[in-house]
């Protein structure tokens, strides 16, 4: 008996009397006659049925019952399959069914019956023969049916067929669409990585041929396969191919959006931004494309109002529209455009897409309008004594939630200074919880009951969010300030918060490690398992490792992942490896491996360069340069009063940090991207951690390719502007990026004035960027800096300075520099510093329009302040000199803290200062200014609003007792 496509030992009907009689009876019941006639029936009833009769029956059954017919009854298909297989079993030894006939009929019948296993067996047994040209039609028929039936059983035979056909594949063959459709099926169905790695190899082979006309039919499924493989180099090629035509194919819009969204999520950068820009012009109504374009324009500084129109015009029913609207709402919220944010949140609510975070922000915004309405919003539960405990969302954690019970209990206790558990206690408890979690994960994975990639990504994302919001957001404070932020600055303890945060991050790292080691990491594909989800997990694991200051462990994680993934995630893992290397300070390793890390960059070794990042003292030391102090101020001690939420008054002491302004002469100093100072040996000058809390450093610029905590990859300058003129350069020129009033006045303008009065700018001009905004440039004129003493440059300029005098960075307020700037601006405002004007004005600083740190009773406080004789002032509406005049005559300054309190610089020592803010935490920034000016400073504490634990404790809403507020305002006014 010859070989058949059936599995070994499978039962095959012998077309004996019983089978034939049952078939005849069924035909009679159905009112049909058995195909072939009476003569064939007689032959089939013989004790030994001739092979020719078996073959004849199979042929006539196929011809009369199946061929060219739709909706063939399953019993007829089954009988035809059995007749064909029985005939094949009688073929002479050495004769294969492929050569005997009826194979296509058998394939169609099995496919229609939904039987994938016989088709899979056939594909594997005939693989070598199907590679021959004469069997191409059979191979394609098998491929088509397996693709239709899909599932795990169809994967290996499909890949076998693709490999067989692939031996003869050329770009011009007419069956490439069959190939790519089947590749897409495998990519969607595979739960293990090995099949997807074979798909990725095919994607890489086919992608370069998609820029030709006439390939639209197979380009779209190839994009789907490339997205499933997260093969970013191929996705770039495919996106370029779809954008290459003046009249793009209509069906390419969704595929292109999918490609760009994947690229933007896994490896954002200028190349993806350019693709999004071009795609948005071709498909203006495609939400995913418009979303990525909005992200690109936002990064370039576009105002949210200018992003709104194309996003609001998107079709609400499109599945990708909610994501685009959520992005717009987020931008509007952070920019303080309450009307636009509410409009977008309402549109999300109308389509049922308002998630918990959006609901929280909507309630946050409505605090500006009505305290009662705001407290009635979902998730808002009135007042709380202080920042509440961290609560995990069991739904977000999914099946991981039970294993995280010990961690949940650990973080349920608010990290307060008066907690009975020390930071060391919390660290030990976190280690014990982690051991339990690790054991639970191992047991679940051993039983093949671990979380899917999607479930793990949701859980890891939730852990990451929880580690960076609410009270745990204070984990970084001990790294920002060079002193212990003790109970004087709020009830929450940054060290306890850090211990809890590290425990959460350790659990996140462990979760990702277990998921990546599963035998079936894509279990539940396509919805529950994807390479993109695995890459997302790796990104979160890397973020957690770096937050824990474990770059070397991060490199080990990524090496293991790279070995498992192979070509999957190509182009996404390399940037993570580079970031970890840079964080570990391995700039030399990055430079040596630059071509692999940047495969899309032609001649990467010649185009890219790697620089270490060093803070001021280390930078000078590496460069072999010594600085010389111009100003040295000792610590400035002072005291301030605190009125707690019960009305109890206490006195706290603190000292503003010692400060220094020094100069260092550096030769061959390079200035790039506005803010980067690069010395030949010292590398890039890195800001103090106090500045790094503002944003990742270096700041976004086309020349900045990659960045890490200890190094940066930059695109080499194509044309240097050599500057031989001796210049003064300010370290940490971040003004065009942050545009922050405090940073400019206290840390930048005060330095510039200090250099002026010490004669430094008489012999050298000052290097400044033209990107300074109008009020900054106006302030330079106010202090008497003539434009002729400035050497202007632009963001695109790459400068090499042969002789630079670098002024040291400033992190905290200098008494000497602040006093010098005050006297200067008083004179510019027509005031005599030696004959101060009388203190007559009471100033309340309103924060109308601000979405950060809103006070529930903001309008009540304004009315209360007005009733006590306070002027309600929005300083940002006044010129600098008008602000100086106003604050120079103020006897009282009050309000919730914000940049407007920078104007304490211009006030007199007898001015009283009242800040109104939550009891949880308080930055000493404005206390320092009061200490420098010798002022009485009181902090009226409020309570955080419950229901806003999902945002930073620093920016979440709070409430204040109006009776206590009246007493505090009366104190500030001198009436109590």
């Amino acid at each position: 008996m010859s070989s058949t496509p059936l599995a070994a030992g499978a039962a095959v009907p012998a077309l004996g009397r019983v089978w034939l009689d049952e078939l005849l009876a069924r035909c009679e019941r159905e009112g049909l006659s058995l195909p072939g006639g009476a003569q064939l029936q007689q032959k089939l009833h013989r004790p030994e049925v001739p092979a020719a009769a078996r073959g004849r029956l199979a042929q006539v059954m196929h011809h009369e019952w199946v061929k060219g017919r739709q909706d063939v009854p399953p019993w007829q298909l089954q009988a035809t399959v059995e007749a064909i297989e029985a005939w094949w079993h009688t073929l002479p030894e050495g004769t294969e069914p492929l050569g005997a006939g009826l194979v296509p009929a058998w394939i169609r019948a099995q496919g229609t019956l939904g039987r994938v296993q016989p088709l899979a067996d056939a594909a594997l047994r005939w693989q070598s023969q199907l590679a021959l040209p004469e069997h191409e039609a059979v191979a394609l028929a098998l491929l088509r049916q397996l693709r239709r039936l899909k599932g795990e059983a169809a994967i290996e035979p499909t890949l076998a067929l693709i490999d067989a056909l692939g031996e003869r594949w050329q770009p011009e063959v007419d069956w490439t669409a069959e190939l790519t459709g089947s590749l897409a099926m495998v990519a969607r169905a595979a739960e293990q990585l090995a099949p997807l790695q074979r798909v990725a190899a095919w994607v890489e082979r086919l992608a370069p041929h998609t820029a030709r006309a006439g390939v639209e039919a197979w380009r779209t499924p190839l994009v789907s396969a490339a997205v499933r493989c997260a093969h970013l180099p191929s996705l770039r090629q495919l996106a370029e191919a779809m954008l290459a035509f003046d009249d793009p194919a209509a069906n390419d819009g969704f595929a292109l959006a999918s490609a760009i969204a994947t690229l933007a999520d896994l490896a954002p950068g200028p190349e993806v931004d350019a693709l999004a820009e071009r795609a948005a012009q071709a498909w203006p109504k495609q939400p995913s494309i418009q979303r990525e374009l909005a992200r690109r324009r936002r990064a370039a500084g576009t105002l949210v109002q200018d992003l709104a129109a194309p996003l609001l015009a998107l079709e609400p029913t499109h599945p990708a529209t909610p994501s685009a609207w959520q992005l717009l709402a987020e931008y509007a919220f952070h920019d303080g455009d309450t009307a636009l944010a509410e409009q977008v949140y309402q549109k999300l609510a109308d389509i049922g897409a308002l998630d918990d975070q959006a609901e929280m922000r909507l309630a946050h915004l409505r605090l500006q309008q009505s305290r009662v309405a705001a407290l009635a919003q979902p998730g808002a539960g009135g007042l709380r004594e202080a920042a509440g405990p961290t609560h995990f969302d069991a739904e977000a954690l999914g099946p991981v939630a039970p294993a995280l019970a010990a961690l949940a209990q650990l973080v349920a206790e608010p990290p307060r200074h008066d907690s009975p558990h020390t930071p060391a206690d919390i660290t030990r408890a976190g280690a014990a919880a982690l051991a339990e979690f690790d054991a639970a994960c191992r047991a679940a994975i051993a039983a093949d009951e671990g979380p899917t990639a999607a479930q793990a990504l949701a859980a890891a994302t939730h852990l990451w969010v929880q580690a960076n919001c609410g009270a745990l957001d204070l984990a970084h404070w001990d790294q920002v300030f060079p002193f212990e932020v003790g109970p004087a600055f709020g009830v929450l303890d940054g060290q306890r918060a850090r211990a809890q945060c590290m425990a959460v991050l350790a659990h996140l790292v462990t979760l990702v490690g277990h998921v990546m080691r599963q035998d079936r990491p894509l279990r539940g594909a396509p919805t529950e398992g994807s390479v993109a989800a695995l890459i997302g997990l790796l990104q979160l694991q890397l973020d957690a490792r770096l937050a824990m200051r474990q770059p070397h462990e991060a490199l080990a994680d990524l090496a293991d992942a790279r070995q498992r993934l192979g070509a999957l995630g190509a182009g996404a893992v390399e940037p993570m490896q580079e970031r970890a290397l840079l964080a570990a300070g391995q700039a030399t390793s990055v430079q040596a491996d630059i071509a692999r890390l940047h495969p899309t960059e032609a001649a990467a070794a010649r185009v890219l360069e790697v620089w270490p990042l060093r803070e001021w003292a280390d930078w000078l030391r590496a460069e072999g340069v010594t600085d010389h102090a111009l100003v040295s101020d000792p610590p400035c001690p002072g005291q301030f009063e605190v009125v707690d939420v019960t009305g109890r008054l206490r006195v706290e002491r603190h000292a503003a940090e010692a400060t220094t302004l020094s100069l260092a002469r550096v030769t061959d100093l390079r200035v790039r991207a506005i803010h980067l100072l690069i010395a030949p040996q010292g590398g890039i000058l890195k800001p103090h951690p106090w500045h790094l809390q503002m944003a990742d450093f270096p700041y976004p610029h086309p020349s900045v390719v990659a960045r890490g905590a200890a190094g940066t990859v930059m695109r080499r300058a194509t044309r240097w502007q050599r500057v031989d003129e001796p210049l003064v350069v300010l370290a940490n020129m971040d003004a065009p990026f942050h545009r922050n009033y405090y940073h400019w006045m206290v840390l930048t303008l005060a330095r510039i004035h200090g250099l002026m009065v010490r004669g430094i700018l008489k012999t050298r001009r000052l290097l400044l960027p033209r990107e300074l905004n109008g009020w900054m440039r106006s302030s330079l004129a106010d202090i008497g800096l003539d434009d002729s003493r400035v050497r202007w440059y632009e963001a695109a300029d790459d400068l090499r300075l042969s002789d630079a005098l670098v002024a040291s960075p400033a992190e905290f307020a200098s008494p000497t520099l602040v006093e010098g700037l005050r006297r200067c601006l008083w004179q510019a405002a027509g005031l005599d510093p030696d004959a101060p004007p009388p203190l007559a004005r009471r100033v309340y600083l309103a924060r109308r329009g601000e979405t950060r740190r809103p006070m529930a009773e903001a309008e009540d406080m304004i009315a209360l302040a007005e009733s006590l004789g306070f002027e309600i002032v929005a300083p940002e509406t006044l010129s600098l000199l008008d602000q100086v005049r106003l604050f120079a005559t103020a006897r009282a300054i009050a309000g919730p803290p914000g940049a407007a309190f920078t104007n304490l610089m211009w006030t007199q020592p007898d001015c009283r200062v009242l800040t109104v803010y939550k009891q949880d935490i308080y930055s000493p920034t404005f206390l320092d200014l009061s200490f420098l000016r010798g002022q009485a400073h009181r902090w009226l504490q409020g309570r955080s609003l419950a229901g806003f634990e999902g945002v930073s404790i620093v920016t979440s809403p709070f409430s204040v007792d109006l009776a206590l507020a009246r007493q505090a305002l009366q104190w500030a006014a001198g009436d109590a």
Side-chain angles (χ1 to χ4, degrees), residues 205-556:
R205 180 180 175 184
L206 295 173
H209 302 282
T210 55
R212 301 179 298 115
V215 302
E216 293 83 3
W218 60 267
R219 187 165 55 207
T220 297
L222 188 65
V223 171
S224 175
V227 167
R228 291 291 302 168
C229 294
H231 197 276
L232 305 193
S234 294
L235 283 173
R236 288 189 183 92
Q237 287 181 310
L238 289 161
E240 289 287 357
M242 287 183 278
L243 290 167
F245 301 97
D246 294 333
D247 186 19
N251 293 336
D252 278 346
F254 179 79
L256 180 59
S258 177
I260 290 178
T262 303
L263 288 167
D265 286 340
L266 303 185
E271 292 180 357
V272 181
D273 294 344
L275 288 173
E277 188 79 49
R278 292 160 57 194
Q281 295 175 7
W283 288 276
K285 295 292 187 180
Q286 224 299 329
S288 297
I289 292 174
Q290 290 296 336
R291 176 178 177 271
E292 297 312 319
L293 178 63
R295 285 171 57 175
R296 186 199 71 80
R297 290 179 173 172
R298 173 72 171 190
T302 303
L303 297 175
V304 66
Q305 294 81 3
D306 296 328
L307 299 174
L311 294 177
L312 291 174
L314 296 174
E315 177 56 49
T317 57
H318 195 290
T321 291
S323 176
W325 284 353
Q326 286 163 359
L327 184 76
L328 178 61
E330 178 183 342
Y331 290 161
F333 175 84
H334 285 297
D335 284 4
D337 191 329
T338 305
L340 177 59
E342 286 202 76
Q343 178 188 359
V344 182
Y345 283 134
Q346 186 58 54
K347 290 174 78 71
L348 286 166
D350 291 343
I351 59 175
L354 199 64
D355 60 18
D356 292 343
Q357 186 79 0
E359 286 188 354
M360 187 184 307
R361 286 180 170 170
L362 184 58
H364 196 144
L365 289 169
R366 287 176 176 167
L367 281 171
Q368 307 284 28
Q369 302 169 6
S370 169
R371 175 172 180 254
V372 175
L375 294 175
Q377 291 301 308
L383 304 178
R384 54 185 179 179
E385 188 61 26
T390 298
H391 291 299
F392 290 155
D393 183 342
E395 184 177 351
L397 294 176
V400 183
L404 289 170
L407 177 65
Q409 182 177 0
L410 174 68
V411 299
E413 180 181 295
R416 295 171 56 110
H417 285 288
D418 59 2
S419 167
H421 299 108
T422 67
D425 293 336
I426 296 171
T427 298
R428 285 191 292 271
L434 183 62
E436 290 183 24
F437 180 67
D438 182 64
C441 287
R442 291 179 185 277
I445 290 173
D448 200 24
E449 296 175 351
T452 65
Q455 290 169 337
L457 182 59
T461 300
H462 185 65
L463 290 175
W464 176 254
V465 169
Q466 293 304 307
N468 289 277
C469 71
L472 299 196
D473 188 40
L474 298 180
H476 70 281
W477 272 48
D478 65 324
Q479 305 169 56
V480 169
F481 295 102
F483 52 81
E484 181 180 351
V485 184
F489 299 102
V491 299
L492 294 181
D493 178 13
Q495 293 186 22
R496 287 178 170 85
R498 182 167 180 79
Q500 288 186 337
C501 179
M502 293 302 104
V504 174
L505 295 179
H507 282 71
L508 188 163
V509 166
T510 299
L511 171 62
V512 177
H514 283 300
V515 172
M516 292 300 299
R517 288 189 289 271
Q518 291 186 104
D519 290 334
R520 293 191 299 147
L522 304 179
R523 183 165 54 87
T527 55
E528 287 296 310
S530 70
V531 176
L534 297 182
I535 297 298
L537 285 167
L538 288 175
Q539 289 175 330
L540 287 169
Q541 186 183 47
L542 173 61
D543 289 339
R545 286 288 197 194
L546 297 185
M548 297 167 72
R549 301 180 183 177
Q550 296 177 348
H552 297 286
E553 291 84 348
L555 287 169

Side-chain angles (χ1 to χ4, degrees), residues 82-135:
E82 291 173 349
I84 293 172
E85 291 178 351
W87 170 49
W88 285 347
H89 273 261
T90 65
L91 294 174
E93 190 71 30
T95 303
E96 289 287 352
L98 279 173
L102 290 184
V103 172
W106 178 85
I107 291 172
R108 285 193 296 273
Q110 292 282 29
T112 305
L113 289 169
R115 294 175 178 165
V116 67
Q117 195 58 55
L119 297 173
D121 294 339
L124 295 173
R125 291 180 70 97
W126 296 338
Q127 180 180 359
S128 60
Q129 296 164 275
L130 292 173
L132 301 174
E134 57 265 31
H135 297 311

Side-chain angles (χ1 to χ4, degrees), residues 616-959:
W616 178 250
D618 292 335
W619 187 71
L620 295 179
R621 191 177 302 112
E623 195 61 23
V625 172
T626 301
D627 61 337
H628 304 280
L630 284 180
V631 176
S632 292
D633 288 320
C636 181
Q639 66 181 36
F640 62 101
E641 297 177 340
V642 179
V643 178
D644 69 19
V645 294
T646 68
R648 186 172 62 250
L649 176 70
R650 70 177 191 268
V651 177
E652 299 285 359
R653 287 173 173 78
H654 171 63
E657 283 297 299
T659 56
T660 300
L661 174 62
S662 62
L663 295 175
R665 189 173 180 221
V666 180
T667 58
D668 196 20
L669 179 70
R670 304 164 199 198
V671 181
R672 303 195 64 193
I674 297 178
H675 65 300
L676 297 182
L677 302 186
I678 309 173
Q681 304 302 319
I684 295 175
L685 178 58
K686 180 181 179 180
H688 184 277
W690 192 87
H691 279 280
L692 295 179
Q693 65 178 324
M694 301 285 289
D696 290 335
F697 183 88
Y699 308 125
H701 187 272
S703 65
V704 177
V705 177
R707 57 194 173 190
T712 292
V713 178
M714 297 192 67
R715 200 172 305 282
R716 293 181 188 271
T718 56
R719 189 179 68 86
W720 287 105
Q721 294 184 38
R722 186 77 186 185
V723 181
D724 293 325
E725 174 191 357
L727 294 173
V728 176
V729 180
L730 296 176
N732 197 27
M733 174 43 69
D734 60 1
F737 298 92
H738 301 320
R739 304 186 185 280
N740 180 280
Y741 187 62
Y742 176 89
H743 280 233
W744 175 255
M745 289 295 166
V746 177
L747 307 180
T748 303
L749 192 65
R751 273 191 297 164
I752 295 173
H753 179 262
L755 295 171
M756 287 176 59
V757 299
R758 286 159 181 81
I760 306 300
L761 301 185
K762 290 181 179 178
T763 58
R764 292 171 179 253
R765 290 198 297 169
L766 177 65
L767 186 70
L768 288 177
R770 291 193 183 278
E771 284 76 9
L772 296 179
N773 62 20
W775 63 263
M776 293 176 182
R777 297 182 71 157
S778 176
S779 70
L780 295 174
D782 291 336
I783 65 172
L785 181 63
D786 190 270
D787 197 65
S788 65
R789 302 312 303 157
V790 177
R791 201 291 190 181
W792 297 102
Y793 69 106
E794 298 178 353
D797 293 341
D798 292 315
L799 308 179
R800 292 188 75 159
L801 312 182
S802 60
D803 183 0
L805 206 55
V806 182
S808 61
E811 314 301 339
F812 303 98
S814 158
T816 299
L817 298 181
V818 167
E819 174 61 11
L821 182 59
R822 182 191 70 84
R823 292 181 66 89
C824 173
L825 288 176
W826 266 40
Q827 291 174 332
L831 303 173
D832 184 351
D834 298 318
L839 302 182
R841 306 177 76 167
R842 304 173 182 182
V843 177
Y844 185 87
L845 301 176
R847 286 174 55 84
R848 285 173 168 147
E850 275 284 352
T851 58
R852 295 174 300 169
R853 306 186 294 275
M855 180 167 46
E857 299 82 5
E859 293 303 318
D860 294 331
M861 281 289 291
I862 289 173
L864 179 58
E866 282 186 306
S867 72
L868 295 174
F870 281 80
E871 303 174 53
I872 310 304
V873 175
E876 65 274 12
T877 64
L878 305 175
S879 72
L880 174 58
L881 295 183
D882 282 342
Q883 292 182 66
V884 171
R885 296 183 190 99
L886 170 65
F887 284 86
T889 58
R891 59 185 286 190
I893 304 293
F901 271 80
T902 305
N903 288 302
L904 293 178
M905 295 172 71
W906 328 128
T907 55
Q908 298 186 47
D910 290 337
C911 175
R912 288 187 174 186
V913 180
L914 172 68
T915 51
V916 184
Y917 191 52
K918 65 182 70 174
Q919 64 177 337
D920 305 300
I921 197 73
Y922 188 60
S923 169
T925 301
F926 300 119
L927 287 174
D928 289 356
L929 291 179
S930 285
F931 290 0
L932 268 56
R933 301 297 302 130
Q935 296 159 347
H937 191 122
R938 181 173 287 189
W939 168 21
L940 173 63
Q941 294 184 340
R943 292 184 173 93
S944 292
L945 289 182
F948 294 93
E949 291 82 359
V951 295
S952 168
I953 188 63
V954 178
T955 60
S956 62
F958 69 99
S959 176

